[in-house]
Amino acid sequence: MNFPPQDDASFSADEWAQYGIDLLRQYMPQESKLINKINIVVNLSPKPRAEADHAAKTIIITKGRILPLESEGEYITLLAHELGHIKKKHVSVISYAYMCIPWGMEHVSWWLTWRLRKLALPRSTPPTFEEYLFAIETKMEIEADKFMIDNLPPELNAASVFADSLLRLGGVPESLDQPLHPCTKMHLERIRILKQTAREATKDK
């Protein structure tokens, strides 16, 4: 299977979208029923983003996220991760925010504390709204990572490939020795788990 052109002159959103579907079918035949229902949309935004809409069964990837890819393995791990969000029926944190707004802040504070405990993140003081949103997003991202690892062939070394791809995007330090934005902490935690999974997979060989 040919890696489509990544230069500006030859870049084709349709070609990358079809290539993505072909890769999913090749690497994840056990999910063929779901894959046959999804749509991949590649837009030309230079910002590196990828997201999934489980209700619309659509994976959206930007040109800015595709250009840094260095291998077929990096593309299929990205797609498998986003497919995991669809499989798990994950809802965006924005949807959670809109669910909370009508309740009033006192009710929201109680509910967020309860939810964080359900996420195995207990604390004695009520969390901020931002802390809750990033906690639930971290949980969903890690679940999608696990789906990707569990459903791709072991020889692909998916955990290691995906972790390296995330790190190469930039903006994510490899140390927690400084105050970090919750979003950065989320990515660091994901990368830590991915690297640990990759090490364990290597030991098992």
Side-chain angles (χ1 to χ4, degrees):
M1 200 176 296
N2 295 326
F3 207 54
Q6 289 168 288
D7 60 285
D8 284 330
S10 304
F11 187 92
S12 168
D14 290 341
E15 188 174 356
W16 275 97
Q18 185 58 53
Y19 178 56
I21 293 291
D22 292 342
L23 284 181
L24 286 171
R25 288 174 175 156
Q26 174 187 339
Y27 282 94
M28 304 177 71
Q30 71 278 16
E31 293 294 338
S32 59
K33 287 185 179 179
L34 176 59
I35 293 167
N36 288 338
K37 296 177 182 177
I38 71 161
N39 182 38
I40 295 178
V41 175
V42 176
N43 69 45
L44 299 181
S45 170
K47 295 182 179 181
R49 290 188 59 83
E51 57 190 45
D53 182 338
H54 87 81
K57 290 188 168 47
T58 299
I59 296 172
I60 303 169
I61 305 175
T62 64
K63 180 180 178 181
R65 184 64 180 89
I66 287 175
L67 290 182
L69 296 174
E70 293 185 351
S71 68
E72 181 178 285
E74 291 189 0
Y75 195 29
I76 187 56
T77 54
L78 172 62
L79 293 169
H81 169 88
E82 297 303 330
L83 187 68
H85 286 303
I86 295 175
K87 180 79 171 185
K88 300 290 184 180
K89 298 182 179 179
H90 288 160
V91 179
S92 74
V93 292
I94 300 301
S95 298
Y96 280 102
Y98 279 113
M99 280 167 35
C100 293
I101 288 171
W103 295 356
M105 285 313 298
E106 184 176 349
H107 192 177
V108 168
S109 178
W110 172 87
W111 186 72
L112 297 186
T113 303
W114 176 79
R115 284 295 296 162
L116 282 178
R117 286 175 182 157
K118 295 287 283 185
L119 293 174
L121 295 171
R123 54 183 299 154
S124 57
T125 57
T128 65
F129 195 49
E130 184 182 54
E131 285 175 325
Y132 167 70
L133 292 181
F134 281 111
I136 195 69
E137 185 174 5
T138 300
K139 179 177 182 290
M140 292 189 295
E141 292 297 327
I142 290 172
E143 285 180 352
D145 287 343
K146 187 176 187 304
F147 174 87
M148 175 264 296
I149 294 166
D150 290 345
N151 286 278
L152 287 174
E155 59 270 22
L156 187 61
N157 297 318
S160 179
V161 170
F162 194 47
D164 290 342
S165 177
L166 289 175
L167 283 169
R168 204 174 56 254
L169 286 177
V172 180
E174 296 192 55
S175 171
L176 286 170
D177 295 335
Q178 54 181 322
L180 299 172
H181 189 275
C183 187
T184 304
K185 287 185 178 180
M186 175 187 71
H187 287 298
L188 281 170
E189 177 63 8
R190 289 179 62 203
I191 290 168
R192 182 190 68 78
I193 293 173
L194 287 165
K195 289 290 190 182
Q196 180 179 339
T197 303
R199 287 194 296 271
E200 291 172 354
T202 302
K203 289 179 183 177
D204 292 339
K205 291 182 178 180

